[in-house]
Amino acid sequence: MVRKLKEKELLYITFINIESPPDSGSAVRPLKMLQAFKELGVQVKVISGQTNRIQERKLAVKEAMDYLKLHSPDFCYIEPPSGPMFYSGDLNLIRLLHRQNIPTGLFYRDAYWMFPEYSFETKLSLIKWLKFIVIRAMQKHQLKIFTKCITVMYFPSKTMSGFFKLKRKELLPPGCFLADTYCKKAFNNPLHYIFVGGAAINHGTVLTLEAFTMANRKEIIATLTYVCPKEQWKRLGINVQNYRPWLTLVHTSGDENLKILYDKADVAILTAPRTTYRDFAAPIKLMEYLSYLKPILVTNCTETARIISENHIGWVVEENSQSICDKLLELADNPDEIHEIKKGIESAREKNLWIHRAEKVIYDLDNTVSSTLSTE
């Protein structure tokens, strides 16, 4: 790079309230990327505000416009909302960045709108279906603007990037942080697993409970702490008492609350059924598990399996309760398998830190003529 990083100026646009604790994976990523840019020494101008609060976005866009009258940042990086941008001024801001020839990267977070079968588990009412049609139209329109105005579009996985034909696209999967933890050498007896995420049929809740029930039929060989939002668990209508004594249900969030739960666990788990969308998703939760140095058991969703296999950080099984059960039984009989995974888990975390993701963005935007991903 021509100048040192500390002399670089970055306009960072996000659609969350950066002062509030993150309540989902989509809120975690913008905060981690912001922290990583600052750790690199880049001078960051932050524009934030929630997408569904129009007045908040109006003020945010005005702040950005005023900033651009007095400054010419080296780059701009955008962490958009999961859904569409509801305030048209945000799109005008992107057009302005394009007109001013400011290299701009945008992380294309989600494509739920392309796969309605994943978004909805029950038949929609007419009003909800019409709402979905409007949202999808907004997403298509905004994608056209991104295609014209964004210098580099980032995607969480290669599989997902293949759905989009763009001039310049790059991969920017989720990253790790250096959690204040240690690599356990002794295991619980029985082995203790942890899941942190959502509670829904398409999140694999039922699949996971079925597998643990089967594995513990004769004797308890695996216990599970299931961490999820309280409201989501209530909607499932599952009575946790039916799964005692091997299941512990916890409703909490935040690194300070999760740390003690992770430290107690031997293995983390993400066992969900395959869908088109889940095949190209790169769950941020995998990297959180890795941040806490947890070996990971997953089902064979394409990109999830790729992350596990390429980094040698766990095991991949078929997306059915019997396959998951078989692996639980195998690990109970052969805990040395966990030791083997742990040998390389710290180096895997080091290779996948958030700061490396931020470095890539700066490098890409500083070298916008470099090679692109194939659109095939």
Side-chain angles (χ1 to χ4, degrees):
M1 297 182 185
V2 178
R3 289 183 287 157
K4 295 180 180 179
L5 282 178
K6 67 180 181 180
E7 297 174 330
K8 296 286 186 180
E9 290 187 37
L10 172 73
L11 177 62
Y12 183 89
I13 301 173
T14 185
F15 290 74
I16 64 167
N17 183 345
I18 61 172
E19 303 301 328
S20 300
D23 56 1
S24 66
S26 59
V28 168
R29 183 183 181 108
L31 291 173
K32 295 296 186 183
M33 285 296 290
L34 174 58
Q35 180 182 358
F37 283 125
K38 289 181 176 179
E39 288 177 4
L40 284 175
V42 178
Q43 301 300 308
V44 184
K45 170 61 178 178
V46 181
I47 301 296
S48 67
Q50 293 177 279
T51 188
N52 58 348
R53 297 183 178 179
I54 301 302
Q55 189 59 38
E56 197 171 294
R57 287 312 302 176
K58 284 183 178 179
L59 293 174
V61 170
K62 183 180 184 304
E63 182 182 357
M65 296 286 196
D66 291 343
Y67 170 81
L68 290 171
K69 290 177 183 177
L70 302 174
H71 299 81
S72 181
D74 296 283
F75 323 108
C76 175
Y77 177 72
I78 303 172
E79 281 274 347
S82 297
M85 299 176 184
F86 290 122
Y87 176 49
S88 61
D90 283 300
L91 301 175
N92 292 332
L93 176 57
I94 290 173
R95 293 186 181 101
L96 176 62
L97 291 165
H98 178 63
R99 289 197 301 271
Q100 293 189 355
N101 294 315
I102 297 172
T104 301
L106 182 144
F107 176 72
Y108 203 77
R109 179 182 312 283
D110 282 321
Y112 283 101
W113 61 274
M114 297 175 68
F115 304 97
E117 72 278 7
Y118 181 82
S119 300
F120 310 112
E121 297 179 6
T122 59
K123 188 176 181 180
L124 294 179
S125 66
L126 177 60
I127 292 177
K128 287 185 177 179
W129 179 251
L130 290 174
K131 180 180 178 181
F132 175 76
I133 294 298
V134 171
I135 293 294
R136 184 167 61 180
M138 293 176 69
Q139 294 277 40
K140 287 182 177 180
H141 170 66
Q142 292 178 14
L143 180 58
K144 289 180 180 178
I145 295 174
F146 299 159
T147 301
K148 178 181 178 181
C149 298
I150 298 299
T151 312
V152 183
M153 286 272 281
Y154 291 98
F155 294 91
S157 71
K158 187 174 183 179
T159 304
M160 181 176 176
S161 75
F163 284 85
F164 301 85
K165 292 185 177 181
L166 302 163
K167 290 183 295 184
R168 176 73 189 273
K169 52 184 177 178
E170 295 285 345
L171 304 184
L172 200 69
C176 295
F177 59 94
L178 295 172
D180 181 17
T181 189
Y182 61 97
C183 200
K184 287 181 63 176
K185 295 183 179 179
F187 302 131
N188 294 289
N189 186 16
L191 290 175
H192 185 56
Y193 294 76
I194 187 171
F195 169 84
V196 181
I201 293 174
N202 62 18
H203 280 76
T205 307
V206 174
L207 179 64
T208 301
L209 294 179
E210 286 178 351
F212 274 79
T213 299
M214 293 166 62
N216 290 321
R217 185 162 291 147
K218 293 182 179 179
E219 61 176 321
I220 296 177
I221 59 92
T223 59
L224 172 66
T225 293
Y226 200 101
V227 185
C228 67
K230 187 175 183 179
E231 298 74 20
Q232 291 183 11
W233 185 268
K234 280 186 175 180
R235 284 199 294 269
L236 277 176
I238 295 175
N239 185 353
V240 68
Q241 298 301 326
N242 295 337
Y243 302 96
R244 301 292 190 191
W246 53 263
L247 176 65
T248 301
L249 183 64
V250 179
H251 305 302
T252 191
S253 62
D255 293 336
E256 68 282 358
N257 297 320
L258 293 173
K259 180 185 181 304
I260 188 171
L261 301 176
Y262 277 121
D263 284 346
K264 290 179 180 178
D266 300 303
V267 176
I269 193 166
L270 186 58
T271 44
R274 293 183 68 179
T275 64
T276 302
Y277 184 85
R278 193 173 290 280
D279 267 345
F280 69 61
I284 194 170
K285 198 55 60 180
L286 287 182
M287 291 302 169
E288 180 174 297
Y289 289 165
L290 181 55
S291 296
Y292 283 97
L293 303 176
K294 295 299 150 186
I296 309 167
L297 172 61
V298 303
T299 43
N300 59 337
C301 303
T302 303
E303 289 296 335
T304 297
R306 188 200 304 272
I307 292 170
I308 298 300
S309 299
E310 289 183 352
N311 289 280
H312 307 289
I313 54 175
W315 310 270
V316 179
V317 299
E318 296 294 317
E319 50 154 345
N320 60 73
S321 55
Q322 186 61 60
S323 294
I324 301 167
C325 169
D326 290 345
K327 193 63 190 183
L328 295 176
L329 292 169
E330 181 183 329
L331 291 176
D333 290 337
N334 302 282
D336 284 346
E337 285 191 38
I338 304 175
H339 278 303
E340 285 300 311
I341 293 297
K342 283 179 172 286
K343 287 180 180 179
I345 206 162
E346 290 189 61
S347 62
R349 180 176 70 173
E350 180 64 32
K351 292 176 184 176
N352 288 280
L353 293 174
W354 281 111
I355 197 167
H356 300 322
R357 308 301 191 235
E359 284 175 334
K360 175 174 174 54
V361 171
I362 297 300
Y363 177 83
D364 290 343
L365 295 179
D366 209 34
N367 298 273
T368 54
V369 294
S370 59
S371 60
T372 64
L373 281 173
S374 171
T375 57
E376 296 298 321

